[in-house]
Amino acid sequence: MAQGLPSAASLSRFCQKLNRLKPLEESTMDTSLRRCLSMLDLTLLGVGGMVGSGLYVLTGTVAKEMAGPAVLVSFTVAAVASLLAALCYAEFGARVPRTGSAYLFTYVSMGELWAFLIGWNVLLEYLIGGAAVARAWSGYLDAIFSHQIRNFTEAHLGVWQVPLLAHYPDFLAAGILLLASAFVSCGARVSSWLNHTFSAISLGAILFIITLGFILARPHNWSAEEGGFAPFGFSGILAGTATCFYAFVGFDVIAASSEEARNPKRAVPMAIAISLSLAASAYILVSTVLTLMVPWHSLDPDSALADAFYRRGYSWAGFIVAVGSICAMNTVLLSNLFSLPRIVYAMATDGLFFQVFARVHPQTQVPVVGILVFGVLMALLALLLDLEALVQFLSIGTLLAYTFVATSIIVLRFQKASPSSSPGPSSPGPLTKEHSSFSDHLQLVGTGQAAASEPGQLRPALRPYLGFLSRCSPGTAVVWALSILVVSAITLGCVLVFGDSALHLPRWAYLLLLLLSFSMFLLSLLVLGAHQQQHRQDTFQIPLVPLTPALSILLNICLMLKLSYLTWLRFCIWLLVGLAVYFGYGIWHSKENLREPLGLTATRYVVFPSGSLEETVQAVQPSSQVPAPEPSCVEQPASP
């Protein structure tokens, strides 16, 4: 072999480093953070993350430009689509009560590199989202005072004409972010109390809007004389759904806060379900009364609700709308500033990000360094940058995280139960083994009758009909079926989104490609459904697996493909920056990586099935001369 080229063994070890998994610690409640959040706290955090400026701006924009009065159908479909992703988050949040959200869920099921990239994109999502909401908050407050703040700033500092920079520095937006960061750094209870206050005012304003709106409703505004209920047809409803979907992306703050929940197994699923129901009801009812009060084609997209009350002779109601919108935006700011440092904290605790962000204040028990550093970064973005061109980053990062979480649910269901939760800490089983890669999670030990009911094995009732699948090594059919599921979902999404426009296919070729991709998608679902799953009674599990997460994967891919090419280009550039950070720092400081030089390698047990009723178990010791470690509750993964 040429000198300087890596050997096959070293390349194999390097690939295993990229795919190694974080141990699934389900039972422990120990944490350096403070478990002080109740189900009400988590619910209001979720409502605050979803019901923000979108309620006061998005409803009018979608109604006038995309769907008309059928905007309520768009919000309904978007809520159902969001529910698919929310259920995946609910199961993971209840089973793994640790901060980190999509990053952690990917780490325990898909691998380290994928987890880092998901966490890296979630960071950008929260940074840009918080800065954008702060600028919207500033602009709304400025509009109340007849743009005196903007005029004063431009008169004394001038107007900037620099690409990517805003027309003027928004000191008000930066100031509100710094103030919110200071409150969030005081502890989870202070943040929760502020969120309770702003959420109560916001929900009160929404109830007022709905009640007075139905009193002022005119069914004639949905009549054919005004354009009908769905003036833009089915395509308009779908376009509105794609936009309305992003109104429900704030529920992941609940999963990110699960490490600070008192009873996460019950509180996290309930909070996600209740908050999503409240947010969906608010969006659907507000969009209904908005299009009933005034004709949809006469709405003002920038301030639809306030303008609708003004045109009906209730100009004083505009003040209540303004107060409600400002409080709603404050809850979104708190939600972003609450979640972002905790994602960074989770990555730093695992060694994939700079260790300074893993420090927790001894009194407030919050990651205060992450709060202050990223609060300042968010304030700088709001102060200087023109965020309109960057806001599309929010959608692609969120949809990618949803896709990986849904895939992780399928992986989790078909892998063998974690030894840390089955035998118990005090009495580990003889075959206790820490999985070190994605394939290890799905590779089940043993093929005898004792393992017939293990997750990942073919269902006994189907073995006479699907005997060719039982001839595969344990877990192999599940791995291939999941891979084909994702590939066919991407193909099916491309055909649905680009089939009639970009691909320029003849009708027969379009239908054939659609049929083939759908058939492969359905076939992979059937193969997955033919295998055993984990069934647990002690924690929440979503129904209809793998159908529910598979539909979430397909929908997320279709929505990602509808984004512009420029968004994908920026996304790829951000991914390259993330890869540089990971390979420059994360891969060398990962806690999973630091175990190897310390000699914490474990006995690897290999089961050789035989024709007898008893199985022969052979212990294969590592080839290195490192002394064997002391027995522990959970043995560590073997060296590659």
Side-chain angles (χ1 to χ4, degrees), residues 533-555:
Q533 299 181 32
Q534 288 189 34
H535 294 288
R536 301 171 55 115
Q537 303 296 328
D538 60 334
T539 186
F540 172 78
Q541 286 191 312
I542 65 175
L544 300 177
V545 174
L547 179 61
T548 302
L551 291 177
S552 180
I553 292 170
L554 178 61
L555 178 64

Side-chain angles (χ1 to χ4, degrees), residues 78-341:
V80 173
S82 301
L83 180 63
L84 297 177
L87 288 173
C88 298
Y89 274 80
E91 178 168 338
F92 259 120
R95 185 166 178 177
V96 190
R98 291 288 175 181
T99 190
S101 190
Y103 155 77
L104 175 65
F105 305 156
T106 306
Y107 203 170
V108 300
S109 57
M110 301 294 291
E112 184 173 286
L113 176 62
W114 299 110
F116 178 85
L117 293 179
I118 290 297
W120 183 250
N121 282 287
V122 169
L123 293 186
L124 183 68
E125 170 196 340
Y126 282 126
L127 275 174
I128 296 178
V133 172
R135 287 192 71 98
W137 181 94
S138 172
Y140 208 96
L141 191 64
D142 188 34
I144 295 177
F145 295 101
S146 304
H147 301 288
Q148 294 182 14
I149 302 174
R150 183 187 65 185
N151 296 334
F152 177 83
T153 306
E154 290 180 349
H156 290 79
L157 297 178
V159 178
W160 295 346
Q161 300 293 340
V162 181
L164 294 182
L165 291 184
H167 294 297
Y168 64 93
D170 197 336
F171 292 102
L172 186 59
I176 187 62
L177 281 171
L178 293 177
L179 183 62
S181 300
F183 278 112
V184 172
S185 64
C186 293
R189 292 305 307 165
V190 176
S191 305
S192 178
W193 179 82
L194 278 176
N195 186 71
H196 284 192
T197 303
F198 289 129
S199 295
I201 298 174
S202 176
L203 291 175
I206 292 172
L207 287 175
F208 168 80
I209 292 169
I210 294 171
T211 304
L212 185 57
F214 273 117
I215 294 174
L216 301 177
R218 292 176 178 173
H220 176 74
N221 291 328
W222 285 8
S223 65
E225 297 178 8
E226 299 291 348
F229 179 74
F232 298 95
F234 183 70
S235 61
I237 294 176
L238 287 183
T241 301
T243 302
C244 296
F245 179 81
Y246 310 125
F248 300 99
V249 299
F251 62 79
D252 56 345
V253 64
I254 299 175
S257 309
S258 59
E259 191 165 342
E260 293 163 277
R262 295 173 187 163
N263 183 15
K265 287 190 175 183
R266 180 178 183 273
V268 171
M270 290 294 294
I272 289 178
I274 295 173
S275 62
L276 189 61
S277 301
L278 290 175
S281 301
Y283 277 106
I284 293 170
L285 292 175
V286 168
S287 60
T288 300
V289 301
L290 177 64
T291 53
L292 284 173
M293 280 196 295
V294 295
W296 62 269
H297 51 76
S298 63
L299 290 172
D300 181 5
D302 295 328
S303 56
L305 286 170
D307 182 68
F309 284 114
Y310 176 79
R311 292 172 55 189
R312 294 300 303 273
Y314 290 80
S315 57
W316 55 269
F319 174 76
I320 298 178
V321 172
V323 171
S325 65
I326 290 176
C327 290
M329 289 185 225
N330 284 335
T331 60
V332 176
L333 286 179
L334 289 172
S335 174
N336 278 272
L337 286 169
F338 190 88
S339 302
L340 190 152

